[in-house]
Amino acid sequence: MKFTVIKNLQKDSAMSLILKGFLFFILLYILSDIFVMKSSFGISAEAVNSTLFGNEEAYIDPINESSFLEFWHTQIFFIMMILLTLSAVFIRVAKRSRAILTNALMITALVSLISLPLAFYISKFFIDIYVITYFIWHLVAIYMIFYSFWKLNARSI
Amino acid sequence: MQEAYKLSILYYLAFSLLLIVSAIMLFEHKIGFSFSGVLEYYTGNEEKFIPAQSVAGILKIVLPHIFVFGLFAMVLLHFLVFTNIKYKKNIIILVYTIFAIALLEIFTPFMIIGGFKFFAYVKLFSFFALLALVLYLSWLLFHSIAYD
């Protein structure tokens, strides 16, 4: 977290490069997450519905509670770590709209994670909320990564 | 500390609460909060067709938790540096206690399958103590960020 107190990141070429490398890996994680989720849990409302509750026509068994809770537990940990580090870099390099975007990123990610058990235990209605917020936080995160890249290449930050 | 960083920390605390909720639900579903539940989960029960856990099986669960508990505790505790609480003497005790309880929570299953049934109580105690300490620390951080 040394980068949070460096006065001019652009002049510190090593730290700037380290942050760019880190942002590249976060970008890779976020893009890979979409592909992995597409082939496993599902990224459309129908696919998530089939994973959670099964689909007789497609011969898909519903996910058992134990696997669901393990999946949810793991997702929370990974997302909280990714978003904390991404927001720390973004806040350091961005000046305007950083609070709005950080709020948007965190709130949509939280809603996405909370709506998962609500969909599983309470109502299928929350599947739509999960899918919508899942894509919003991914898009906001990708925007923040590219914006941070751009700012790290700017004259001074 | 910049206001925007306070925002990041507050959201991290919110995610931590969610992680605690998921941990409680997972523990309750897989093991249960009773002495017999913990004992049966690790040593098995033929009448209920519950297989006993092996050292390799426990190690498979323990391995990621060693890294995760260390990282999670380190990140949460290092936020204290940004607050005025860091100057209090009790914080050192809190840091030692969190890491010690986390170790106990991770390694008690090995004692249970080793025949020390008493450690089922230790497992339950350390699980709830760890959650309570994380909640207490989160409250300290929240209070410090919101009101100091």
Side-chain angles (χ1 to χ4, degrees):
Chain A
M1 288 294 184
K2 172 84 173 167
F3 66 88
T4 59
V5 289
I6 290 175
K7 280 192 177 176
N8 193 332
L9 269 181
Q10 213 271 336
K11 280 183 183 171
D12 195 327
S13 54
M15 185 57 82
S16 178
L17 192 62
I18 291 165
L19 288 181
K20 283 175 198 167
F22 177 67
L23 287 169
F24 177 70
F25 271 81
I26 293 187
L27 180 66
L28 272 182
Y29 175 85
I30 291 195
L31 293 176
S32 308
D33 181 59
I34 296 171
F35 289 113
V36 171
M37 289 290 273
K38 187 179 185 298
S39 64
S40 57
F41 194 77
I43 51 171
S44 66
E46 299 86 58
V48 174
N49 189 54
S50 296
T51 307
L52 292 180
F53 306 108
N55 187 334
E56 284 185 7
E57 289 171 10
Y59 303 104
I60 298 170
D61 288 326
I63 190 170
N64 65 53
E65 194 174 353
S66 185
S67 301
F68 171 77
L69 287 171
E70 278 170 12
F71 169 77
W72 186 46
H73 190 58
T74 317
Q75 284 289 304
I76 294 169
F77 179 74
F78 273 103
I79 291 172
M80 72 193 278
M81 287 301 173
I82 290 283
L83 298 192
L84 173 77
T85 43
L86 173 61
S87 66
V89 177
F90 179 74
I91 286 166
R92 174 62 189 84
V93 299
K95 289 282 178 274
R96 287 180 296 174
S97 72
R98 60 186 182 184
I100 295 169
L101 281 171
T102 306
N103 276 317
L105 177 78
M106 297 295 193
I107 290 170
T108 47
L110 274 169
V111 171
S112 160
L113 286 170
I114 292 168
S115 57
L116 255 184
L118 293 177
F120 188 73
Y121 291 109
I122 296 173
S123 165
K124 288 182 179 180
F125 162 75
F126 290 101
I127 291 174
D128 291 325
I129 295 174
Y130 166 73
V131 172
I132 291 164
T133 48
Y134 173 84
F135 278 109
I136 293 174
W137 83 252
H138 273 72
L139 287 173
V140 175
I142 290 168
Y143 172 78
M144 285 165 77
I145 291 166
F146 280 113
Y147 185 83
S148 302
F149 263 126
W150 177 63
K151 288 297 273 186
L152 282 169
N153 285 318
R155 282 184 183 174
S156 86
I157 39 174
Chain B
M1 184 176 30
Q2 290 183 38
E3 286 298 314
Y5 283 125
K6 289 183 180 176
L7 206 60
S8 278
I9 296 174
L10 288 175
Y11 280 117
Y12 187 84
L13 298 181
F15 278 107
S16 300
L17 284 180
L18 205 56
L19 194 67
I20 286 176
V21 172
S22 68
I24 292 171
M25 287 171 74
L26 195 56
F27 196 102
E28 194 274 329
H29 181 75
K30 291 189 84 168
I31 302 174
F33 296 132
S34 65
F35 173 75
S36 59
V38 176
L39 216 53
E40 281 174 0
Y41 178 78
Y42 289 109
T43 56
N45 185 329
E46 284 184 6
E47 288 171 11
K48 293 180 182 175
F49 302 105
I50 301 171
Q53 297 270 342
S54 64
V55 173
I58 292 173
L59 204 58
K60 203 176 163 187
I61 300 166
V62 158
L63 187 65
H65 280 93
I66 296 171
F67 166 70
V68 166
F69 276 30
L71 183 65
F72 178 72
M74 185 276 286
V75 172
L76 204 57
L77 287 165
H78 105 286
F79 287 144
L80 288 170
V81 176
F82 301 110
T83 68
N84 295 327
I85 321 166
K86 65 179 172 181
Y87 300 113
K88 291 184 179 174
K89 282 181 182 176
N90 294 344
I91 291 304
I92 301 294
I93 300 169
L94 183 66
V95 173
Y96 273 118
T97 315
I98 285 186
F99 281 113
I101 293 283
L103 268 176
L104 209 57
E105 211 283 328
I106 288 172
F107 290 105
T108 39
F110 292 108
M111 303 303 283
I112 298 170
I113 62 164
F116 300 97
K117 290 181 180 178
F118 167 75
F119 277 87
Y121 285 118
V122 181
K123 172 76 182 173
L124 282 170
F125 166 75
S126 56
F127 177 75
F128 284 111
L130 185 64
L131 297 191
L133 285 170
V134 169
L135 282 175
Y136 175 62
L137 182 59
S138 301
W139 165 249
L140 283 179
L141 286 166
F142 174 76
H143 192 270
S144 177
I145 288 168
Y147 301 110
D148 288 350

